[in-house]
Amino acid sequence: MTAVALWAGYFVGAAGMGWVFPSVMALAANAVGPHEQGATAGTVATDHGLGMILGPLVGTLVYDLHPGAPYLLVAVLLVLVALWPARAPV
C-alpha cells in the first residue's frame, strides 16, 4: 500500500465520520422531547467515544480468530440494525 492510498483511505473515513456524526446527533435530538435533549446529547456523545475505544479493541480480538472475522461481525451487526423494528410514533 502506498502512502497516497493510505491518505486517501483516511480522508474517506474522516469525511464519512464528519457527515454521519452530526446527522446522528440531529436524528437523536429530533426523536425526543425538549425535556430529554440533554440526556440524549450526552448519551450519543458517550456512545461515539465508547465506539472509538471498543471498536478497535473488539476488532483486534476477533481478528485473532480469523482475519476476515471483523468484517463478518460488522456485516452481521449492520443486518441486525437494518432489521431492528422501528419504534411507533408516540
Side-chain angles (χ1 to χ4, degrees):
M1 176 176 287
T2 66
V4 173
L6 187 61
W7 278 98
Y10 279 125
F11 174 78
V12 170
M17 286 188 289
W19 287 327
V20 169
F21 283 1
S23 63
V24 168
M25 188 65 79
L27 287 169
N30 290 335
V32 298
H35 64 285
E36 300 171 310
Q37 294 286 321
T40 301
T43 301
V44 172
T46 301
D47 290 345
H48 283 182
L50 191 62
M52 294 285 191
I53 294 169
L54 288 181
L57 288 174
V58 171
T60 302
L61 292 173
V62 174
Y63 184 82
D64 282 342
L65 300 174
H66 187 273
Y71 304 104
L72 179 62
L73 176 64
V74 169
V76 169
L77 290 174
L78 286 173
V79 168
L80 290 174
V81 168
L83 296 176
W84 191 274
R87 187 173 71 171
V90 181

mmCIF file of all heavy atoms in Angstrom, residues 21 24-25 28 39-56:
data_model
loop_
_atom_site.group_PDB
_atom_site.id
_atom_site.type_symbol
_atom_site.label_atom_id
_atom_site.label_comp_id
_atom_site.label_asym_id
_atom_site.label_seq_id
_atom_site.Cartn_x
_atom_site.Cartn_y
_atom_site.Cartn_z
ATOM 1 N N PHE A 21 -21.686 11.850 11.957
ATOM 2 C CA PHE A 21 -21.832 12.214 13.367
ATOM 3 C C PHE A 21 -22.859 13.328 13.588
ATOM 4 O O PHE A 21 -23.720 13.205 14.462
ATOM 5 C CB PHE A 21 -20.492 12.592 13.978
ATOM 6 C CG PHE A 21 -19.608 11.412 14.297
ATOM 7 C CD1 PHE A 21 -19.995 10.108 14.030
ATOM 8 C CD2 PHE A 21 -18.372 11.597 14.867
ATOM 9 C CE1 PHE A 21 -19.190 9.025 14.323
ATOM 10 C CE2 PHE A 21 -17.547 10.524 15.165
ATOM 11 C CZ PHE A 21 -17.964 9.234 14.893
ATOM 12 N N VAL A 24 -26.424 11.928 13.032
ATOM 13 C CA VAL A 24 -26.864 11.046 14.122
ATOM 14 C C VAL A 24 -27.308 11.888 15.310
ATOM 15 O O VAL A 24 -28.348 11.606 15.931
ATOM 16 C CB VAL A 24 -25.742 10.066 14.523
ATOM 17 C CG1 VAL A 24 -26.065 9.367 15.824
ATOM 18 C CG2 VAL A 24 -25.504 9.065 13.419
ATOM 19 N N MET A 25 -26.577 12.917 15.627
ATOM 20 C CA MET A 25 -26.946 13.789 16.745
ATOM 21 C C MET A 25 -28.279 14.484 16.458
ATOM 22 O O MET A 25 -29.138 14.583 17.341
ATOM 23 C CB MET A 25 -25.850 14.829 16.988
ATOM 24 C CG MET A 25 -26.059 15.643 18.231
ATOM 25 S SD MET A 25 -25.959 14.704 19.761
ATOM 26 C CE MET A 25 -24.206 14.561 19.945
ATOM 27 N N ALA A 28 -31.164 11.937 16.755
ATOM 28 C CA ALA A 28 -31.437 11.631 18.163
ATOM 29 C C ALA A 28 -32.160 12.793 18.836
ATOM 30 O O ALA A 28 -33.098 12.584 19.606
ATOM 31 C CB ALA A 28 -30.129 11.320 18.888
ATOM 32 N N ALA A 39 -30.022 14.712 28.072
ATOM 33 C CA ALA A 39 -29.671 13.302 28.276
ATOM 34 C C ALA A 39 -29.375 12.616 26.950
ATOM 35 O O ALA A 39 -28.451 11.801 26.853
ATOM 36 C CB ALA A 39 -30.806 12.576 29.000
ATOM 37 N N THR A 40 -30.135 12.965 25.930
ATOM 38 C CA THR A 40 -29.913 12.363 24.611
ATOM 39 C C THR A 40 -28.567 12.795 24.036
ATOM 40 O O THR A 40 -27.815 11.962 23.513
ATOM 41 C CB THR A 40 -31.047 12.756 23.653
ATOM 42 O OG1 THR A 40 -32.278 12.300 24.196
ATOM 43 C CG2 THR A 40 -30.840 12.157 22.290
ATOM 44 N N ALA A 41 -28.248 14.068 24.119
ATOM 45 C CA ALA A 41 -26.970 14.557 23.601
ATOM 46 C C ALA A 41 -25.804 13.903 24.333
ATOM 47 O O ALA A 41 -24.811 13.494 23.708
ATOM 48 C CB ALA A 41 -26.892 16.074 23.733
ATOM 49 N N GLY A 42 -25.914 13.782 25.648
ATOM 50 C CA GLY A 42 -24.853 13.138 26.418
ATOM 51 C C GLY A 42 -24.696 11.665 26.082
ATOM 52 O O GLY A 42 -23.579 11.153 25.972
ATOM 53 N N THR A 43 -25.818 10.980 25.891
ATOM 54 C CA THR A 43 -25.774 9.557 25.556
ATOM 55 C C THR A 43 -25.145 9.329 24.187
ATOM 56 O O THR A 43 -24.297 8.436 24.024
ATOM 57 C CB THR A 43 -27.191 8.957 25.595
ATOM 58 O OG1 THR A 43 -27.728 9.142 26.900
ATOM 59 C CG2 THR A 43 -27.171 7.486 25.265
ATOM 60 N N VAL A 44 -25.534 10.120 23.202
ATOM 61 C CA VAL A 44 -24.978 9.956 21.856
ATOM 62 C C VAL A 44 -23.483 10.271 21.853
ATOM 63 O O VAL A 44 -22.687 9.546 21.249
ATOM 64 C CB VAL A 44 -25.736 10.830 20.834
ATOM 65 C CG1 VAL A 44 -25.049 10.826 19.487
ATOM 66 C CG2 VAL A 44 -27.170 10.338 20.690
ATOM 67 N N ALA A 45 -23.079 11.328 22.534
ATOM 68 C CA ALA A 45 -21.656 11.681 22.591
ATOM 69 C C ALA A 45 -20.852 10.584 23.287
ATOM 70 O O ALA A 45 -19.743 10.239 22.857
ATOM 71 C CB ALA A 45 -21.476 13.017 23.303
ATOM 72 N N THR A 46 -21.417 10.031 24.350
ATOM 73 C CA THR A 46 -20.739 8.946 25.066
ATOM 74 C C THR A 46 -20.626 7.705 24.190
ATOM 75 O O THR A 46 -19.585 7.042 24.174
ATOM 76 C CB THR A 46 -21.513 8.606 26.354
ATOM 77 O OG1 THR A 46 -21.578 9.770 27.158
ATOM 78 C CG2 THR A 46 -20.835 7.500 27.121
ATOM 79 N N ASP A 47 -21.688 7.401 23.470
ATOM 80 C CA ASP A 47 -21.660 6.230 22.592
ATOM 81 C C ASP A 47 -20.618 6.369 21.483
ATOM 82 O O ASP A 47 -19.949 5.401 21.131
ATOM 83 C CB ASP A 47 -23.037 5.983 21.983
ATOM 84 C CG ASP A 47 -24.040 5.498 23.009
ATOM 85 O OD1 ASP A 47 -23.621 5.087 24.113
ATOM 86 O OD2 ASP A 47 -25.247 5.539 22.712
ATOM 87 N N HIS A 48 -20.475 7.563 20.947
ATOM 88 C CA HIS A 48 -19.443 7.781 19.917
ATOM 89 C C HIS A 48 -18.053 7.531 20.498
ATOM 90 O O HIS A 48 -17.217 6.858 19.884
ATOM 91 C CB HIS A 48 -19.519 9.200 19.367
ATOM 92 C CG HIS A 48 -20.630 9.402 18.392
ATOM 93 N ND1 HIS A 48 -20.836 10.590 17.767
ATOM 94 C CD2 HIS A 48 -21.591 8.583 17.931
ATOM 95 C CE1 HIS A 48 -21.874 10.502 16.962
ATOM 96 N NE2 HIS A 48 -22.349 9.284 17.059
ATOM 97 N N GLY A 49 -17.794 8.075 21.667
ATOM 98 C CA GLY A 49 -16.494 7.874 22.303
ATOM 99 C C GLY A 49 -16.235 6.421 22.652
ATOM 100 O O GLY A 49 -15.136 5.896 22.446
ATOM 101 N N LEU A 50 -17.262 5.763 23.172
ATOM 102 C CA LEU A 50 -17.134 4.351 23.526
ATOM 103 C C LEU A 50 -16.865 3.499 22.283
ATOM 104 O O LEU A 50 -16.053 2.578 22.315
ATOM 105 C CB LEU A 50 -18.407 3.887 24.243
ATOM 106 C CG LEU A 50 -18.370 2.536 24.916
ATOM 107 C CD1 LEU A 50 -17.316 2.522 26.017
ATOM 108 C CD2 LEU A 50 -19.736 2.212 25.505
ATOM 109 N N GLY A 51 -17.525 3.832 21.197
ATOM 110 C CA GLY A 51 -17.300 3.106 19.948
ATOM 111 C C GLY A 51 -15.881 3.285 19.412
ATOM 112 O O GLY A 51 -15.297 2.349 18.860
ATOM 113 N N MET A 52 -15.319 4.474 19.610
ATOM 114 C CA MET A 52 -13.948 4.727 19.158
ATOM 115 C C MET A 52 -12.932 3.919 19.958
ATOM 116 O O MET A 52 -11.846 3.629 19.474
ATOM 117 C CB MET A 52 -13.608 6.212 19.278
ATOM 118 C CG MET A 52 -14.389 7.080 18.382
ATOM 119 S SD MET A 52 -13.791 6.918 16.701
ATOM 120 C CE MET A 52 -14.624 8.256 15.934
ATOM 121 N N ILE A 53 -13.283 3.572 21.195
ATOM 122 C CA ILE A 53 -12.383 2.788 22.033
ATOM 123 C C ILE A 53 -12.637 1.295 21.872
ATOM 124 O O ILE A 53 -11.720 0.504 21.664
ATOM 125 C CB ILE A 53 -12.520 3.205 23.512
ATOM 126 C CG1 ILE A 53 -12.030 4.645 23.686
ATOM 127 C CG2 ILE A 53 -11.758 2.260 24.419
ATOM 128 C CD1 ILE A 53 -12.357 5.253 25.016
ATOM 129 N N LEU A 54 -13.902 0.895 21.974
ATOM 130 C CA LEU A 54 -14.224 -0.531 21.938
ATOM 131 C C LEU A 54 -14.108 -1.145 20.544
ATOM 132 O O LEU A 54 -13.779 -2.328 20.422
ATOM 133 C CB LEU A 54 -15.638 -0.764 22.481
ATOM 134 C CG LEU A 54 -15.817 -0.580 23.972
ATOM 135 C CD1 LEU A 54 -17.250 -0.865 24.377
ATOM 136 C CD2 LEU A 54 -14.865 -1.462 24.745
ATOM 137 N N GLY A 55 -14.384 -0.375 19.503
ATOM 138 C CA GLY A 55 -14.322 -0.900 18.141
ATOM 139 C C GLY A 55 -12.969 -1.515 17.794
ATOM 140 O O GLY A 55 -12.893 -2.689 17.403
ATOM 141 N N PRO A 56 -11.887 -0.768 17.945
ATOM 142 C CA PRO A 56 -10.579 -1.356 17.653
ATOM 143 C C PRO A 56 -10.202 -2.508 18.587
ATOM 144 O O PRO A 56 -9.568 -3.473 18.156
ATOM 145 C CB PRO A 56 -9.612 -0.180 17.825
ATOM 146 C CG PRO A 56 -10.441 1.026 17.596
ATOM 147 C CD PRO A 56 -11.793 0.683 18.134
#
